[in-house]
Amino acid sequence: DTGVSQNPRHKITKRGQNVTFRCDPISEHNRLYWYRQTLGQGPEFLTYFQNEAQLEKSRLLSDRFSAERPKGSFSTLEIQRTEQGDSAMYLCASSLGGGGLVFIEMNTEAFFGQGTRLTVV
Amino acid sequence: RKEVEQDPGPFNVPEGATVAFNCTYSNSASQSFFWYRQDCRKEPKLLMSVYSSGNEDGRFTAQLNRASQYISLLIRDSKLSDSATYLCVVNRGRVGQFYFGTGTSLTVIP
């Protein structure tokens, strides 16, 4: 399967525990995004990486959240001291974006993984 | 103001009907535009990109009006399998993330 892969697909955890999710993007994609989606809402942006650099973080990403993409390939999203309000679907996406000093116009879409559904009890 | 705004619906239409969804975006620097489809409890999947000249893919037509910062999706001859949530998405390009609307729910009724 050459699509975006996320693990685990489901996670149930007790409030206060730490959880970590993994995302493996499409191999040639240099951009990786994390989104959170709750019922009835569109995906909300959390953070994104271009290669290994974390370029933008949402205000939604509190101090309890941290994301890494150490080698510019897979990424992890960790939530510390989980709260019930963290229950959501966490979606990872990747895309091929222009980078460097020369802007390349490309209308490339984001490809999503199947998500990790987190339930905090 | 939200980056992307959509009418959440729901839209309930009979098979064979034509239905149109609208979306507005707030940032004039937005450069790329898409419609994604999301089935219940599944990930969003690209339906179509939206080009400045407008584009059509079978029963689906997308339009972009940069002056009004408005995007539309027209579905003709609706099928039961079109039932889903349709997400309007914009991207600012090189340094931008993808911004999603809340989605418009469509149910096609037999």
Side-chain angles (χ1 to χ4, degrees):
Chain A
D1 186 355
T2 56
V4 179
S5 176
Q6 289 189 248
N7 287 289
R9 293 287 306 280
H10 303 274
K11 179 71 177 178
I12 300 174
T13 191
K14 289 184 178 179
R15 190 175 52 188
Q17 297 295 305
N18 298 345
V19 294
T20 300
F21 311 140
R22 176 177 170 128
C23 172
D24 288 89
I26 293 171
S27 59
E28 64 268 26
H29 284 183
N30 57 344
R31 290 187 180 177
L32 186 149
Y33 308 80
W34 285 99
Y35 284 83
R36 180 175 72 184
Q37 187 175 26
T38 54
L39 199 62
Q41 299 296 315
E44 296 174 294
F45 171 75
L46 293 178
T47 189
Y48 95 93
F49 295 83
Q50 178 146 313
N51 301 312
E52 67 276 8
Q54 190 173 18
L55 295 188
E56 191 173 348
K57 292 195 292 186
S58 163
R59 288 171 296 170
L60 292 174
L61 215 67
S62 74
D63 291 345
R64 297 184 297 106
F65 287 70
S66 62
E68 293 183 343
R69 195 184 183 196
K71 297 182 180 178
S73 56
F74 74 92
S75 175
T76 57
L77 177 68
E78 181 183 15
I79 309 174
Q80 296 181 325
R81 305 181 303 280
T82 51
E83 301 173 356
Q84 286 187 318
D86 297 332
S87 296
M89 173 78 90
Y90 289 83
L91 292 162
C92 175
S94 70
S95 74
L96 187 61
L101 299 176
V102 179
F103 176 62
I104 302 170
E105 181 70 46
M106 53 178 68
N107 205 30
T108 57
E109 71 270 24
F111 294 83
F112 282 83
Q114 292 180 300
T116 296
R117 186 169 296 280
L118 174 66
T119 303
V120 181
V121 297
Chain B
R1 186 182 171 187
K2 287 186 178 179
E3 287 276 342
V4 181
E5 300 211 47
Q6 285 183 259
D7 179 351
F11 285 65
N12 299 314
V13 302
E15 263 187 298
T18 295
V19 61
F21 305 138
N22 302 319
C23 166
T24 56
Y25 60 96
S26 61
N27 195 312
S28 60
S30 300
Q31 296 181 334
S32 303
F33 309 90
F34 310 90
W35 283 100
Y36 275 72
R37 171 192 169 129
Q38 187 171 28
D39 293 300
C40 188
R41 302 180 77 84
K42 300 284 189 180
E43 75 276 20
K45 291 185 178 178
L46 180 71
L47 177 66
M48 59 197 302
S49 301
V50 186
Y51 300 114
S52 296
S53 55
N55 48 302
E56 187 174 309
D57 183 2
R59 299 182 292 108
F60 299 85
T61 301
Q63 296 281 346
L64 168 64
N65 184 321
R66 285 188 185 270
S68 301
Q69 295 180 198
Y70 170 96
I71 306 160
S72 66
L73 176 68
L74 184 76
I75 305 175
R76 291 181 299 278
D77 188 23
S78 299
K79 312 289 185 193
L80 296 177
S81 57
D82 294 334
S83 298
T85 296
Y86 291 83
L87 295 160
C88 176
V89 185
V90 304
N91 182 278
R92 292 188 200 162
R94 181 166 63 137
V95 295
Q97 46 152 306
F98 291 84
Y99 294 89
F100 286 78
T102 55
T104 299
S105 174
L106 172 67
T107 301
V108 180
I109 303 163

